[in-house]
């Protein structure tokens, strides 16, 4: 990474940190920005306000998530505008929280006329096995994805994009206005399958520090991020 790229990543981390601090009263202790175009993955560590901590102690996870959704929707235009100044035209934006670890992830995907193709997928150890496991989990919950793509952003960050994941029932629930309920059900089911699956550790031959997942139902697409800990 050259000095200019490093400075861009530092500037983005500083700006995101300020935005979150102003909105939540407390920003993340550390922010890791990784750009591997057309993706930007921003990993947040130790991000929890005192009020949120009290709510989580009272098992009010849905309340904390709901509040964060409202705040993130209001921050998204400003985040995208700032990234545009940094030379990234973000078309898709995903985020998720790991409340057990006080962590979070923000994922942006650049606008591209070949957006379904993204960047060339490079081979990495365990790729075929990972795609097979993702197909199996997806099929248990909704249906087998029409396409799975995955990208090793760096040695600690693996991004999986699933396209064509909604069943007919899921599409009808969205049409009837139950998108929020569908996302809640999907998140509970998929997080349970992902977090309690020892296959991933075998596939990656690495400890897994965090797993994040989000959906854009209107694009019929889902993004999953594995944070690996290869040193263990």
């Amino acid at each position: 990474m050259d000095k200019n790229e490093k400075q861009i990543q530092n500037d983005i981390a500083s700006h995101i940190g300020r935005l979150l601090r102003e909105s939540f009263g407390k920003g993340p202790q550390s922010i890791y920005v990784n750009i591997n175009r057309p993706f930007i993955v921003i990993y947040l560590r130790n991000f929890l306000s005192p009020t949120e901590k009290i709510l989580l102690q009272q098992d009010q996870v849905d309340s904390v998530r709901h509040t964060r959704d409202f705040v993130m929707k209001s921050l998204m235009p400003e985040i995208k505008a700032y990234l545009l100044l940094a030379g990234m035209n973000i078309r898709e934006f995903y985020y998720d929280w790991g409340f057990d670890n006080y962590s979070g992830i923000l994922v942006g995907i650049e606008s591209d006329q070949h957006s379904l193709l993204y960047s060339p997928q490079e081979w990495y150890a365990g790729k075929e096995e990972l795609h097979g496991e993702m197909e199996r989990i997806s099929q248990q919950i909704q249906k087998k994805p029409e396409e799975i793509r995955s990208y090793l952003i760096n040695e600690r960050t693996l991004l999986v994009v699933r396209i064509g994941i909604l069943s007919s029932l899921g599409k009808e629930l969205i049409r009837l206005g139950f998108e929020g309920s569908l996302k809640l059900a999907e998140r509970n089911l998929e997080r349970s399958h992902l977090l309690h699956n020892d296959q991933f550790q075998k596939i990656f031959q690495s400890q897994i520090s965090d797993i994040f997942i989000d959906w854009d139902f209107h694009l019929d697409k889902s993004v999953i991020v594995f944070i690996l800990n290869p040193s263990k």
Side-chain angles (χ1 to χ4, degrees), residues 6 17 28 59 81 83-84 100 102 113 119 124 128 147 206 209 217 223:
K6 185 67 176 174
D59 293 326
L83 292 176
L84 187 59
D100 291 341
Y102 303 165
Q113 62 179 337
S119 57
Y124 58 84
E128 289 183 10
E147 188 174 1
S206 166
S209 300
F217 288 136
V223 161

Side-chain angles (χ1 to χ4, degrees), residues 152-204:
L152 198 60
I153 304 298
N154 58 35
E155 65 169 4
R156 295 176 61 90
T157 310
L158 186 112
L159 177 70
V160 179
V161 180
R162 293 175 300 166
I163 301 164
I165 54 171
L166 283 171
S167 65
S168 298
L169 177 60
K171 291 176 181 176
E172 183 64 11
L173 285 169
I174 291 168
R175 191 188 71 80
L176 292 171
F178 294 105
E179 182 175 338
S181 298
L182 178 63
K183 182 172 277 195
L184 180 62
E186 282 270 355
R187 176 169 275 116
N188 289 343
L189 287 169
E190 290 210 6
R191 281 189 74 85
S192 177
H193 278 76
L194 291 168
L195 292 170
H196 301 107
N197 187 328
D198 59 4
Q199 290 302 310
F200 294 122
Q201 192 165 309
K202 293 175 184 175
I203 290 169
F204 297 131

